[in-house]
């Protein structure tokens, strides 16, 4: 016999499930409390799942009013009767809230009440399905708490970075600027044999000042606090990747909304580390950055055209940079990946969630400090067309 005919014959032989078998199925379900109420709300059937979830045996609960499962405040407000009336009016009702077990303990339940009518349209009662959602609610609470702690951690880290940057700028850089000025004055007053040495020292001081300014920029890049992620990345790519490193770049952004401050900082730091990795190891001439909204968060790609070997060659610090990128993304509740092939470049890609809290306004000191460093974003840069391209030939706006 052919396979289609065999399947057809099997279907014909399969009898509909009997009422007894269906009752046995319902009675045996353990993950859901499934029971029936009469039109007044008294319990007339009870399954094993309801016993497991609520703690009542059938002999203890049959005949009682289902309001016994509701906390005292819900009973006092008339919620059980309101739910039955709503089920009659709308055909069904779904609700989540606290319910009470036999021992008095509470659990978080998802409840569906369905009105049951006979062929003549007469109400016969209600079907009620209850699921214990306590574990899911606890997991959601834990996730929310983890996110809250992560936001505090990011804020604390950025506050400390900002404090160190201010200290370096207000103390070390200013002191070294004064030393450089004194060296320059002395070089004009001493014999030529000493003047050359003083000018070399002055050049070393200026180079050190430049490195310290670069350090303060990395510790606390201007723009993110006030202008957000897009402006901060745009500034970093222009000032560091394009101007300082002389590398061609493109930047695309397609965001439904501006990321929260903590999310923006997380994305910026990962991109900053990825770009530094490209600069130090990839021997690339071009890098493309793209950020876009996806799945309730932001997905970011950093693609270079280098050797395909951007990972560590010289020890722990570079390896730590890769670990730091991954840990930042995963601690934020997202994911991170890096893949490459020799001769075809490297792609760093990651996603982080983007919740809704609003960003605080910057302090007056932050504004004054950024202006003093000469690192403030130019207003025109905010309205630059996208994609942007850095110096060099072959600029293009799309990622490979």
């Amino acid at each position: 016999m052919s396979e289609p005919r065999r399947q057809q014959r099997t279907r014909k032989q399969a009898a509909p499930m009997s009422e007894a078998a269906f009752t046995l199925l319902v009675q045996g379900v353990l993950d859901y409390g499934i029971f029936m109420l009469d039109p007044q709300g008294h319990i007339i059937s009870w399954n094993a799942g309801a016993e497991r979830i609520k703690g009542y045996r059938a002999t203890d609960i049959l005949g009682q009013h289902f309001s016994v499962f509701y906390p005292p405040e819900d009973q006092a407000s008339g919620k059980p009767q309101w739910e039955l009336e709503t089920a009659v009016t709308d055909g069904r009702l779904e609700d989540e809230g606290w319910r009470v077990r036999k021992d008095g303990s509470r659990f978080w339940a998802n409840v569906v009440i369905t009105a049951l009518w006979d062929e003549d349209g007469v109400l016969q009662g209600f079907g009620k399905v209850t699921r214990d959602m306590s574990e899911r609610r606890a997991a959601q609470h834990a996730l929310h708490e983890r996110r809250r702690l992560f936001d505090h951690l990011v804020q604390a880290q950025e506050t400390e970075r900002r404090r160190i940057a201010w200290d370096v700028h207000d103390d070390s850089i200013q002191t070294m600027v004064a030393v450089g000025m004194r060296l320059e004055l002395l070089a004009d007053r001493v014999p030529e044999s000493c003047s050359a040495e003083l000018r070399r020292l002055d050049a070393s001081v200026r180079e050190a000042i430049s490195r310290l300014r670069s350090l303060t920029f990395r510790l606390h890049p201007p723009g993110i606090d006030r202008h957000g992620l897009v402006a901060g990345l745009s500034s970093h790519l222009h000032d560091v990747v394009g101007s300082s490193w002389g590398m061609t770049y493109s930047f695309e952004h397609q965001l439904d909304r501006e990321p929260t401050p903590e999310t923006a900082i997380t994305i910026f730091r990962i991109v900053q580390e990825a770009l530094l990795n490209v600069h130090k190891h990839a021997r690339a001439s071009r890098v493309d950055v793209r950020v876009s909204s996806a799945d309730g968060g932001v997905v970011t790609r950093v693609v270079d055209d280098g050797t395909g070997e951007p990972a560590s060659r010289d020890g722990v610090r570079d390896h730590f940079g890769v670990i730091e990128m991954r840990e930042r993304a995963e601690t934020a509740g997202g994911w991170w990946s890096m893949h490459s092939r020799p001769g075809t470049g490297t792609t760093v890609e990651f996603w982080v969630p983007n919740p809704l809290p609003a960003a605080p306004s910057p302090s007056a000191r932050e504004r004054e400090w950024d202006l003093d460093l000469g690192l403030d974003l130019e207003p025109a840069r905010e309205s630059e067309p996208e994609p942007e391209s850095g110096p060099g030939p072959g600029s293009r706006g799309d990622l490979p």
Side-chain angles (χ1 to χ4, degrees):
M1 182 183 298
S2 65
E3 186 63 25
R5 289 185 179 180
R6 183 181 293 109
Q7 291 178 353
Q8 184 178 11
R9 181 175 179 180
T10 301
R11 285 196 297 268
K12 289 181 179 179
Q13 291 175 345
M17 180 181 290
S18 67
E19 183 177 347
F22 180 76
T23 301
L24 184 63
L25 172 64
V26 171
Q27 291 295 330
V29 173
L30 293 177
D31 292 333
Y32 294 84
I34 305 174
F35 53 97
M36 289 185 62
L37 311 175
D38 67 15
Q40 290 73 43
H42 297 93
I43 300 164
I44 58 177
S45 73
W46 197 246
N47 81 329
E51 179 178 335
R52 185 186 69 83
I53 293 171
K54 298 179 182 290
Y56 292 91
R57 293 181 179 274
T59 54
D60 300 328
I61 198 63
L62 290 177
Q64 293 196 44
H65 196 270
F66 85 111
S67 61
V68 70
F69 305 134
Y70 289 72
E73 61 271 19
D74 286 346
Q75 294 184 29
S77 68
K79 182 176 180 179
Q81 186 60 34
W82 173 83
E83 290 191 342
L84 293 185
E85 293 172 357
T86 303
V88 170
T89 302
D90 299 339
R92 70 188 297 274
L93 172 135
E94 184 170 359
D95 175 51
E96 283 199 10
W98 292 112
R99 298 296 185 269
V100 180
R101 298 186 180 94
K102 181 181 179 181
D103 61 6
S105 63
R106 296 192 181 198
F107 67 100
W108 190 261
N110 174 270
V111 174
V112 177
I113 301 176
T114 304
L116 305 175
W117 311 83
D118 65 13
E119 295 178 354
D120 297 325
V122 177
L123 180 67
Q124 297 298 303
F126 302 89
K128 193 166 188 290
V129 180
T130 301
R131 185 179 182 186
D132 186 350
M133 307 296 287
S134 301
E135 291 185 3
R136 190 187 75 171
R137 188 171 188 270
Q140 290 175 340
H141 178 75
L143 182 62
H144 174 75
E145 185 67 12
R146 174 183 173 183
R147 181 72 203 187
R148 187 182 67 83
L149 292 175
F150 172 75
D151 289 347
H152 282 308
L153 175 62
V154 170
Q155 292 170 5
Q157 286 178 334
E158 292 304 312
T159 298
E160 184 63 14
R161 285 172 177 263
R162 188 181 301 116
R163 186 193 65 78
I164 295 172
W166 282 341
D167 288 346
V168 171
H169 172 260
D170 294 345
D171 187 286
S172 302
I173 290 180
Q174 301 306 322
T175 300
M176 295 188 72
V177 167
V179 170
M181 293 174 64
R182 294 295 299 274
L183 286 172
E184 190 175 357
L185 288 173
L186 286 173
D188 294 334
R189 297 178 182 178
V190 299
E192 185 62 31
S193 58
C194 298
S195 176
E197 183 63 27
L198 287 175
R199 294 190 187 281
R200 281 193 293 270
L201 288 174
D202 181 43
S204 298
V205 170
R206 291 178 183 275
E207 184 180 351
I209 291 173
S210 177
R211 289 198 298 269
L212 286 175
R213 288 185 184 275
S214 177
L215 173 63
T216 59
F217 180 87
R218 292 197 304 272
L219 286 171
H220 180 57
I224 288 201
D225 296 323
R226 293 189 306 279
H227 304 291
L229 176 66
V230 170
L233 283 176
S234 175
S235 176
H236 186 73
L237 287 164
H238 179 274
D239 296 337
V240 177
V241 177
S243 298
S244 297
W245 298 347
M247 187 180 297
T248 303
Y249 69 86
S250 73
F251 179 39
E252 288 188 35
H253 49 91
Q254 296 177 349
L255 297 175
D256 296 338
R257 58 184 172 88
E258 181 65 34
T260 63
E262 294 77 20
T263 301
I265 290 169
T266 298
I267 294 170
F268 184 92
R269 293 299 183 194
I270 297 175
V271 172
Q272 188 180 39
E273 187 67 39
L275 292 172
L276 184 61
N277 217 24
V278 171
H279 175 62
K280 292 173 64 176
H281 303 300
R283 297 197 293 275
S285 61
R286 178 183 180 85
V287 64
D288 300 292
V289 179
R290 178 173 182 170
V291 292
S292 57
S293 298
D295 301 326
V298 178
V299 63
T300 304
R301 297 179 70 205
V302 180
V303 183
D304 68 70
D305 63 352
T307 62
E309 299 174 345
S312 171
R313 287 200 197 99
D314 49 25
V316 176
R317 172 63 189 92
D318 298 324
H319 182 60
F320 177 76
V322 173
I323 295 175
E324 183 182 26
M325 285 189 283
R326 178 182 291 109
E327 288 187 347
R328 276 185 180 272
E330 293 179 353
T331 303
W335 52 263
W336 179 94
S337 69
M338 181 171 69
H339 49 89
S340 62
R341 289 187 300 174
T344 61
T346 298
T347 298
V348 170
E349 187 172 16
F350 62 94
W351 175 90
V352 292
N354 184 26
L356 293 172
S361 59
S363 67
R365 189 181 182 200
E366 288 179 71
R367 176 73 175 175
E368 179 182 356
W369 180 72
D370 286 345
L371 287 170
D372 190 26
L373 281 180
L375 297 175
D376 192 40
L377 291 176
E378 298 174 5
R381 190 168 298 154
E382 293 181 350
S383 60
E384 286 178 1
E386 51 180 281
E388 304 168 10
S389 292
S395 297
R396 51 186 168 82
D398 58 332
L399 292 177

